[in-house]
Amino acid sequence: MAGKDGALDRARDIYGDRSRRARQLQAEGKRVIGYPCVYVPTELLTASDLVPYRVYADIGEPVTEADRALPTSFCSIMRGCFDCALKGRDGFLDGVVVAHSCDPQEKTARLWESYIDYPFSHFMDIPGTVRPEAVEYFKGQMQDLVRALEAFTGQRLSKSALRGAVQLHNRQRALVRELYDLTKPDPPALSGVEVLQVVKALMSIPVAEGNDLLEQVIAEAK
């Protein structure tokens, strides 16, 4: 296992209180945008100088407030996310972007927008096929998100900023694969719990900061 008082401990600290780092970034002038699904193109958020922040439910929090709007037989994941939002757990967010990757998420997105007044809220549809007309439709959905982000930030999203963001996110994906490889030796260099803590920490901080953290964690473990 990785040593103490290093990058893994920092990842564990971020994981233990995910919103704390987000609030620090806001105090520095950054804006934080929540997203509950990996189908949201976080590269566009990064390119717009916004911090993507993965929204989760809390497994230790009984769902109570969401019962006002969703049936108990509804998707437990989205019920939990919506419940935390209604209880103000994500009240620090400057906005949310939700993707229609499933019907429960689409339903919850409409309620989210109605019940909680974020400065920015956007819903994007996701086609279910890769036929040419579906790809063209998805292109339009991406363009709609770009226009919404530009209106929110007051800045045009440049191609160079987007290229840089894509490179940062692709670098993180490569590093995460390297992180997962550290669980393969016997004994593993990192435990499954430690990998989970690192990955959830990554989805709470800017991607460039996450890449630095990943590189340090991997170096320590090796």
Side-chain angles (χ1 to χ4, degrees), residues 166-185:
V166 169
Q167 290 172 356
L168 283 172
H169 282 266
N170 283 345
R171 172 61 177 159
Q172 184 158 113
R173 294 179 181 107
L175 287 169
V176 167
R177 284 193 290 270
E178 191 173 344
L179 182 78
Y180 290 161
D181 284 341
L182 295 174
T183 65
K184 294 179 179 179

Side-chain angles (χ1 to χ4, degrees), residues 70-139:
L70 293 170
T72 56
S73 58
F74 198 76
C75 168
S76 59
I77 296 173
M78 294 314 301
R79 266 173 51 84
C81 288
F82 186 51
D83 187 73
C84 287
L86 289 174
K87 291 173 179 175
R89 296 289 185 88
D90 304 322
F92 63 91
L93 293 175
D94 296 291
V96 293
V97 178
V98 183
H100 187 184
S101 56
C102 64
D103 287 343
Q105 193 159 175
E106 189 272 339
K107 169 70 172 176
T108 308
R110 307 304 183 187
L111 293 170
W112 217 321
E113 190 172 4
S114 298
Y115 277 74
I116 302 171
D117 187 22
Y118 288 118
F120 177 79
S121 182
H122 187 84
F123 173 80
M124 65 181 301
D125 201 7
I126 304 292
T129 75
V130 293
R131 295 197 305 267
E133 57 270 28
V135 172
E136 190 64 23
Y137 174 74
F138 185 55
K139 179 181 176 181

Side-chain angles (χ1 to χ4, degrees), residues 7-8 14-15 17 19 32 43 51 67-68 87 96 99-100 112 114 122 135 143 169 191 207 209 213 218:
L8 186 59
I14 295 170
Y15 165 82
D17 188 356
S19 69
V32 181
E43 291 90 341
V51 179
D67 291 339
R68 294 192 283 126
K87 291 173 179 175
V96 293
H100 187 184
W112 217 321
S114 298
H122 187 84
V135 172
Q143 291 170 337
H169 282 266
S191 70
V207 64
E209 183 178 331
L213 179 63
I218 291 168

